[in-house]
Amino acid sequence: MEWVNWYGFDGYNVDIDNLTTIIPGSDDDHPSDRYEPDNDPSQAVEILPRKVFFPDGHIYEAPYHFRQTHNFQKTGNDSVDWVYFEATAGKRYTIRTKIDTSRGSQASTNLYLYDSDATTLIDSDADGGEAQIIFDCFASKTYYLKIVNANNKRGPMTWYDIEIPQVEDQPPPQISVTPSGTTDFGTVTLGYCSEKQFTVTNTGGQILNGNATTSLPFKIISGASYSLYPNKSQTVTVQFCPTSKGRFTKTINFTGGGGATRTVTGVGEPPPAISVSPSGTLDYGVVFIGSSLDKSFTVTNVGGGILSGSVSVSSPYRVVSGGNYNLMANQSQKVIIRFSPTSAGTFTRTVTFTGGGGATRTATGIGEPPPEIHVSCENQLNFGKVQVGSSKDLKCTVSN
């Protein structure tokens, strides 16, 4: 084994751990690695990235990859190893375990990255075998790595390397907005609103800061400002609230990460409005008791949308057809009302039309008994004897 101790660079101390190989052999050969005990965060050993960024801006780059070689001990409760490292904001760190199976290593590892409290999990690769995490650092401080024995094998044949071989600047933020193309809000009745959602994602690095803006009759009702870490997303909700008739097409502008635009469109339509003709009283005149007479109204949707409604009236009137309607703009329907008096008198009723603001009309009619003939004749039309060539008149009275 080769042991490399502390070296000084421009007044700073850097702990450089050169590759330390555990040679395969019996269980008595190297029963533990040089970093034990390291089973909890308080025992963690520092590992240096390939590049070290000092507070004054000085950068030290090692001529080889920094790594530590560990194993999981045969004895004791050594199922985890802890290390820590210092990271610099704005940098991207590649962290990985390497297992040389060609030389007989039987190790299998799960890798976990924690914040400076060694409790808050930032990322993990827990699929066993060799593990890797790409870490974008946003705060310069200490971070912890926990390496977990994934297959419960122990002893000198379970050696692995933990290393941070690559440090680079984070790529700039990159914005992605879905859906793409034009988003159609369809037809919306004036005075009402419709909502659609967009998803903003940072597909780059660093932090994507930006805003979503648009113009009336569209407006952003939530998610207008965003601050997104890499691969994080936020929903932006857009509302279309037309106040006048017609088609509206506007642009939503998304700033940050190169920016993006999306087109939104929608149609404003007046609400349904009802018109009923004739506009005055529907007069049925005189209808005999026991008979009936039909008259009609015409219902028209003089607005937009769909005019949905029904017609109602009380006895002795009733709706015999067209009592329910669903009318598109400028469509009409005939409504037939029947008057069927069952007693004498004048009957005036209100006909009610619902939907589109509603309407009422008056129906009136007179119920009368049907005509009844009564005949009264003199002498019961008994003419008696009448001389031939003569005549005799008798009078009959006909009354209703």
Side-chain angles (χ1 to χ4, degrees):
M1 303 180 190
E2 180 181 358
W3 298 78
V4 180
N5 296 317
W6 293 89
Y7 288 85
F9 294 94
D10 297 337
Y12 296 96
N13 288 326
V14 180
D15 183 12
I16 304 177
D17 290 298
N18 195 10
L19 174 63
T20 304
T21 303
I22 298 176
I23 302 173
S26 67
D27 289 348
D28 293 331
D29 291 332
H30 310 286
S32 65
D33 60 66
R34 59 178 289 194
Y35 304 103
E36 294 292 346
D38 57 358
N39 300 332
D40 63 63
S42 66
Q43 299 173 325
V45 177
E46 183 178 13
I47 185 171
L48 295 178
R50 180 165 185 162
K51 289 183 180 180
V52 180
F53 298 86
F54 293 99
D56 65 357
H58 178 72
I59 300 174
Y60 171 73
E61 182 172 1
Y64 48 83
H65 293 184
F66 285 107
R67 63 169 60 92
Q68 294 177 9
T69 301
H70 293 248
N71 70 350
F72 298 110
Q73 289 181 248
K74 184 73 172 178
T75 59
N77 186 27
D78 181 26
S79 60
V80 299
D81 294 325
W82 285 85
V83 300
Y84 72 89
F85 67 100
E86 302 294 333
T88 302
K91 303 299 179 181
R92 171 171 286 184
Y93 293 80
T94 298
I95 307 163
R96 68 188 182 191
T97 60
K98 298 291 288 182
I99 300 170
D100 191 351
T101 57
S102 67
R103 295 172 57 220
S105 176
Q106 300 174 9
S108 180
T109 59
N110 293 334
L111 181 61
Y112 300 86
L113 171 65
Y114 291 90
D115 209 336
S116 56
D117 59 3
T119 300
T120 303
L121 182 65
I122 297 175
D123 200 357
S124 65
D125 181 354
D127 294 330
E130 294 183 333
Q132 178 171 288
I133 292 174
I134 305 298
F135 171 50
D136 287 330
C137 180
F138 296 98
S140 298
K141 55 183 177 179
T142 301
Y143 295 89
Y144 286 84
L145 296 170
K146 180 173 72 172
I147 305 93
V148 176
N149 186 347
N151 63 8
N152 292 321
K153 293 185 178 181
R154 297 182 182 182
M157 302 299 288
T158 60
W159 73 87
Y160 67 89
D161 291 334
I162 175 70
E163 61 182 2
I164 307 177
Q166 185 171 343
V167 183
E168 57 190 337
D169 290 335
Q170 293 177 26
Q174 180 66 46
I175 194 169
S176 171
V177 180
T178 57
S180 59
T182 298
T183 297
D184 194 342
F185 285 72
T187 299
V188 178
T189 301
L190 304 185
Y192 291 85
C193 297
S194 177
E195 293 180 4
K196 298 284 186 181
Q197 293 181 328
F198 294 85
T199 300
V200 177
T201 303
N202 181 5
T203 58
Q206 303 180 33
I207 299 176
L208 171 63
N209 293 305
N211 297 279
T213 58
T214 189
S215 56
L216 293 174
F218 298 89
K219 60 181 178 180
I220 312 295
I221 63 170
S222 68
S225 297
Y226 39 86
S227 184
L228 301 173
Y229 288 90
N231 300 315
K232 298 299 181 181
S233 299
Q234 178 173 304
T235 298
V236 178
T237 302
V238 182
Q239 198 173 64
F240 173 48
C241 303
T243 57
S244 59
K245 181 180 179 179
R247 175 171 288 279
F248 301 89
T249 300
K250 302 292 182 180
T251 298
I252 302 177
N253 294 297
F254 299 87
T255 64
T261 60
R262 291 294 181 268
T263 300
V264 287
T265 187
V267 175
E269 183 178 67
I274 194 169
S275 172
V276 179
S277 60
S279 58
T281 298
L282 197 61
D283 193 344
Y284 285 77
V286 175
V287 177
F288 295 132
I289 297 170
S291 298
S292 62
L293 180 64
D294 292 344
K295 287 186 176 290
S296 66
F297 291 97
T298 299
V299 177
T300 303
N301 180 6
V302 295
I306 299 176
L307 170 63
S308 297
S310 61
V311 186
S312 62
V313 66
S314 58
S315 182
Y317 300 89
R318 68 185 179 93
V319 181
V320 294
S321 70
N324 296 289
Y325 41 83
N326 291 282
L327 302 174
M328 301 292 287
N330 301 314
Q331 281 190 329
S332 298
Q333 179 173 303
K334 183 175 288 188
V335 179
I336 298 177
I337 310 292
R338 180 169 292 167
F339 175 44
S340 304
T342 58
S343 60
T346 299
F347 299 91
T348 301
R349 298 288 187 267
T350 298
V351 184
T352 301
F353 300 82
T354 65
T360 59
R361 293 293 182 267
T362 300
T364 188
I366 300 172
E368 285 189 355
E372 182 178 343
I373 192 169
H374 178 73
V375 181
S376 176
C377 297
E378 294 177 336
N379 200 27
Q380 298 183 353
L381 292 181
N382 184 0
F383 287 85
K385 293 181 179 181
V386 180
Q387 187 175 352
V388 177
S390 298
S391 64
K392 184 179 180 179
D393 293 334
L394 290 178
K395 183 173 66 175
C396 288
T397 302
V398 179
S399 63
N400 182 3

